[in-house]
Amino acid sequence: MSLTLRTISREQHLAFIQSLPSASHMQVPAWADVKAEWRSESLGWFDERSGQLVGVGLVLYRQLPKIKRYLAYLPEGPVINWYAPNLDDWIQPMLAHLKQQGAFSVKMGPPVIIRRWNAETIKKGIQDQDVKRLRDLEADYIEPRAFEVADKLRRMGWQQGEDGGAGFGDVQPRYVYQVPLANRSLEEVHKNFNQLWRRNIKKAEKAGVEVVQGGYQDLAEWQRLYEITAVRDHFRPRPLSYFQRMWTALNTEDPNRMRLYFARHNGVNLSAATMLIVGGHVWYSYGASDNIGREVRPSNAMQWRMLRDAYALGATVYDLRGISDSLDESDHLFGLIQFKVGTGGQAAEYLGEWDFPLNKLLHKALDIYMSRR
């Protein structure tokens, strides 16, 4: 198949995404509006023979201070056939186009999963003193074609960060936790939760915790819980305006793209979460909780409701997003994987983010600048 690449309209881009079983929420056209501080462009790959659109990519451009040169970033993209034998024919026209657009460096995150580990395997790993990381465990599933993709990228001159590409502001997690829903009943999914999760869901029900959906007008209440969480977990929270923009942009594109959930007890909101939906892929995106009312287990109740709603939407996967690959109980991020493993799903490792320096000098300068921040 010979391919040509050109800028496409948002309508073309969206129509292509809608024709797929799923794609990353960071590759829908509206994500460009969420990331308003970046310039953006929709790219389309066309089959020369049929003239058909066969791949798309959302590119975000971040300008370097003082000069008209850009970092071009395709978060969790582009949306192309990554296993195509002629991967070169997809990637080279993109690099040529981005160079023309003034990019000095390109960063992308192929949406390709290499390995998966089941909850049981991870639990055994946690109990084993010699196991410190997911990678120390034999995976339950390996995608051999993913290694071929990595080899091809390396041969083309793409570079991979040791840490999965950390070093730039909006870096995506390399390890995620997912609950597969395809060809499973809800009873099966519930049965796969660990005892603690099932007990906590029951506890919340008994205590009368109710889980409700919110709207745009409830984002200020979301922000209140989110800022409490930020203080407790020592991270810098995004401003309310970010979530308002996210809600408006994503739900204008598709009224069911973003949802907001609250778990409340006696009329008081104790935890909250945002959920994103693209085709059959549903993400638990941001979570927040108060310091009070933890004994009634609002977070477990909320996750169970979101998972059931994802199932009702016909989702094939409920994605709990990022985890660290550390299985060391003394690691400050260990609690995150411990919480998510309770859902019975599986940890997945993506290929990580890759960089292509179009201008080696500027790329190096950016690296140095980012490492000092």
Side-chain angles (χ1 to χ4, degrees):
M1 177 165 62
S2 21
L3 298 162
T4 51
L5 176 129
R6 60 175 182 269
T7 307
I8 55 171
S9 70
R10 288 178 67 137
E11 291 71 31
Q12 285 172 295
H13 183 163
L14 182 60
F16 184 79
I17 295 282
Q18 285 168 335
S19 75
L20 302 173
S22 72
S24 168
H25 60 275
M26 293 179 198
Q27 282 295 308
V28 301
W31 194 252
D33 303 326
V34 178
K35 296 291 171 191
E37 69 280 15
W38 300 65
R39 179 165 75 83
S40 66
E41 181 184 21
S42 290
L43 293 183
W45 281 259
F46 291 84
D47 176 354
E48 273 181 6
R49 272 200 305 269
S50 66
Q52 227 179 344
L53 183 62
V54 288
V56 298
L58 175 70
V59 189
L60 302 173
Y61 294 98
R62 172 67 68 88
Q63 191 174 346
L64 267 186
K66 298 192 177 63
I67 58 169
K68 268 242 162 23
R69 300 302 292 276
Y70 303 86
L71 169 79
Y73 181 37
L74 294 96
E76 297 185 1
V79 185
I80 58 174
N81 177 10
W82 282 96
Y83 300 132
N86 60 334
L87 191 58
D88 230 24
D89 298 350
W90 292 80
I91 302 293
Q92 295 308 343
M94 177 181 86
L95 288 175
H97 175 87
L98 297 175
K99 191 172 188 171
Q100 240 178 338
Q101 294 290 308
F104 67 88
S105 187
V106 182
K107 182 185 279 296
M108 66 176 182
V112 172
I113 287 175
I114 320 184
R115 301 178 183 86
R116 292 182 188 275
W117 296 265
N118 293 336
E120 274 314 307
T121 305
I122 299 168
K123 276 182 221 157
K124 281 184 195 140
I126 291 169
Q127 282 150 12
D128 185 339
Q129 291 303 302
D130 297 332
V131 172
K132 293 286 178 241
R133 305 200 159 273
L134 272 175
R135 287 211 156 183
D136 301 339
L137 286 174
E138 198 178 323
D140 293 289
Y141 169 79
I142 288 179
E143 173 53 80
R145 294 178 303 171
F147 294 97
E148 287 170 35
V149 174
D151 280 347
K152 285 176 184 171
L153 291 176
R154 270 189 212 100
R155 283 203 297 273
M156 284 181 222
W158 289 83
Q159 302 165 358
Q160 190 174 27
E162 282 309 297
D163 47 5
F168 199 78
D170 284 84
V171 167
Q172 305 318 318
R174 182 162 183 172
Y175 294 91
V176 299
Y177 207 85
Q178 300 178 337
V179 181
L181 300 177
N183 310 316
R184 297 174 75 196
S185 67
L186 264 180
E187 290 70 44
E188 244 175 286
V189 174
H190 186 263
K191 235 191 249 148
N192 254 16
F193 283 177
N194 70 11
Q195 240 174 332
L196 185 64
W197 261 81
R198 291 202 300 268
R199 212 168 40 233
N200 286 347
I201 290 167
K202 217 180 208 129
K203 205 175 197 172
E205 261 169 42
K206 263 206 178 111
V209 172
E210 59 167 339
V211 180
V212 296
Q213 261 184 265
Y216 181 86
Q217 68 287 354
D218 302 302
L219 286 169
E221 172 63 0
W222 147 265
Q223 193 71 15
R224 179 185 73 82
L225 291 167
Y226 174 62
E227 286 179 11
I228 291 171
T229 310
V231 171
R232 184 178 64 236
D233 293 348
H234 313 291
F235 65 84
R236 201 170 75 215
R238 291 189 181 274
L240 173 60
S241 58
Y242 179 81
F243 294 103
Q244 288 172 328
R245 191 164 72 230
M246 196 170 171
W247 183 277
T248 306
L250 295 178
N251 288 337
T252 300
E253 178 175 278
D254 179 333
N256 205 19
R257 185 75 83 222
M258 179 176 176
R259 291 184 177 190
L260 178 61
Y261 286 85
F262 291 99
R264 56 170 70 140
H265 186 240
N266 296 335
V268 179
N269 292 318
L270 297 176
S271 60
T274 61
M275 180 160 119
L276 300 176
I277 301 150
V278 183
H281 203 127
V282 171
W283 293 264
Y284 153 54
S285 147
Y286 283 88
S289 61
D290 206 329
N291 298 324
I292 57 165
R294 299 189 141 206
E295 68 288 347
V296 295
R297 305 299 177 204
S299 293
N300 298 88
M302 184 172 65
Q303 287 295 343
W304 176 226
R305 161 73 192 272
M306 288 164 71
L307 210 148
R308 291 199 320 267
D309 284 3
Y311 189 88
L313 286 166
T316 53
V317 62
Y318 180 70
D319 196 322
L320 291 136
R321 286 295 282 166
I323 50 170
S324 140
D325 73 329
S326 173
L327 299 181
D328 181 353
E329 297 191 29
S330 63
D331 190 305
H332 73 291
L333 291 169
F334 175 74
L336 199 58
I337 192 166
Q338 198 177 30
F339 177 73
K340 293 177 181 182
V341 164
T343 61
Q346 41 189 213
E349 180 192 357
Y350 279 91
L351 261 190
E353 295 198 315
W354 295 69
D355 296 295
F356 194 96
L358 291 163
N359 178 321
K360 290 195 167 66
L361 208 66
L362 286 177
H363 179 82
K364 187 96 189 106
L366 177 83
D367 259 3
I368 293 165
Y369 168 71
M370 293 314 294
S371 64
R372 283 188 185 148
R373 283 181 70 177

